[in-house]
Amino acid sequence: MGVPKRKTSKMRLRTRKASHRWQAPQLGKCPQCGSSVPPHTACPSCGYYKGRQVLTVEGA
Amino acid sequence: MRHQKKTVKLGRTAEHRKALLANQVCSLIEHQRIKTTLAKAKAVRPLAEKMVTLGKQGSLHARRTALSVLRQKDAVKKLFDEIAPRSANRNGGYTRIIKLGQRKSDAAPVAFLEWVDAAAVVEEAAPDGKSKKRKSGKGEPSEAKPPRKSKKSEPNE
Ligand SMILES: [Zn+2]
């Protein structure tokens, strides 16, 4: 049976785990209302996309 | 060999998939814009554009080919009479996908699929609300509904 020769050091373990770190989504700003919007997506708060009204939003 | 013959399977059998795509294209023809998951929108788009190409040919043969795929006479008629002529100056790219973010229930990415040459259709919630208000106004139990009316009408205004 193959068996680890060395104990994994804290640094080696943490370096490996560091690559799994959560990253916040990359958000852009809606040019119409200024709220945060994912890229290439109609703004959920004002309904604008590429300079025109795409959908009507309740309460906007 | 099926090299580069890409088919979006959508987790369905071939017949189920064909029926789904045909229905989606017919809905798109009828309503000018449909809201589906992004995967389905991407799968529907090539078929919809092929149907427009048939519509631009306008021949009886093209009409029968379209009917054999869509299986709805009203949709084929509207396709050939309205939708194909207005895209006469466009060489492909008749449809547009607008991403709408993720659905609340299952986090599926949702999108609009719409005709590029359609007049800008904003999703109209207001007329429905008005008709509901009128109906509720005519209805007898007037005490329970007025507060709901005011809540609905304020955000629209
Ligand atoms: Zn906005």
Side-chain angles (χ1 to χ4, degrees):
Chain A
M1 278 279 281
V3 143
K5 189 162 193 173
R6 295 261 170 234
K7 173 183 175 178
T8 306
S9 70
K10 285 180 193 170
M11 183 183 171
R12 189 169 277 273
L13 176 76
R14 287 167 185 174
T15 309
R16 188 168 69 236
K17 296 288 180 190
S19 66
H20 303 150
R21 188 164 33 189
W22 181 81
Q23 283 195 325
Q26 298 281 328
L27 297 176
K29 282 275 183 287
C30 172
Q32 187 70 19
C33 70
S35 61
S36 295
V37 189
H40 312 292
T41 305
C43 176
S45 58
C46 72
Y48 265 72
Y49 184 59
K50 288 194 169 177
R52 70 192 185 91
Q53 188 84 35
V54 173
L55 69 163
T56 47
V57 179
E58 285 293 316
Chain B
M1 292 188 290
R2 55 163 304 285
H3 290 177
Q4 298 201 324
K5 292 180 188 172
K6 190 184 167 192
T7 307
V8 184
K9 291 186 181 174
L10 297 172
R12 285 161 172 82
T13 60
E15 53 197 352
H16 187 179
R17 186 167 57 241
K18 276 178 197 164
L20 169 78
L21 295 180
N23 279 332
Q24 295 268 62
V25 173
C26 289
S27 299
L28 180 60
I29 290 167
E30 187 185 347
H31 300 288
Q32 309 300 321
R33 175 157 97 168
I34 57 174
K35 186 180 185 180
T36 47
T37 61
L38 184 58
K40 279 182 204 143
K42 283 181 175 177
V44 170
R45 202 220 277 250
L47 185 66
E49 307 219 344
K50 272 161 196 152
M51 291 301 113
V52 175
T53 308
L54 287 176
K56 287 167 86 171
Q57 289 170 12
S59 62
L60 183 61
H61 177 59
R63 194 177 283 266
R64 283 176 178 163
T65 311
L67 193 57
S68 77
V69 177
L70 298 181
R71 314 273 181 90
Q72 292 185 26
K73 282 185 183 173
D74 299 344
V76 172
K77 182 168 169 51
K78 192 175 179 188
L79 171 71
F80 276 63
D81 295 348
E82 287 179 36
I83 287 157
R86 77 183 176 203
S87 296
N89 295 326
R90 195 177 293 277
N91 297 318
Y94 309 115
T95 57
R96 177 188 291 132
I97 290 176
I98 299 171
K99 290 170 193 161
L100 298 175
Q102 290 179 324
R103 202 195 263 160
K104 198 106 186 179
S105 56
D106 58 357
V110 183
F112 276 134
L113 180 63
E114 65 181 16
W115 301 113
V116 174
D117 291 316
V121 271
V122 174
E123 188 181 311
E124 286 171 12
D128 296 340
K130 278 175 193 169
S131 64
K132 277 174 194 169
K133 278 171 212 160
R134 279 172 200 160
K135 280 171 192 170
S136 64
K138 284 173 188 172
E140 287 127 39
S142 57
E143 289 174 11
K145 285 177 182 176
R148 284 184 199 165
K149 273 187 217 167
S150 62
K151 275 177 193 171
K152 277 182 185 173
S153 61
E154 277 163 16
N156 289 338
E157 287 158 8

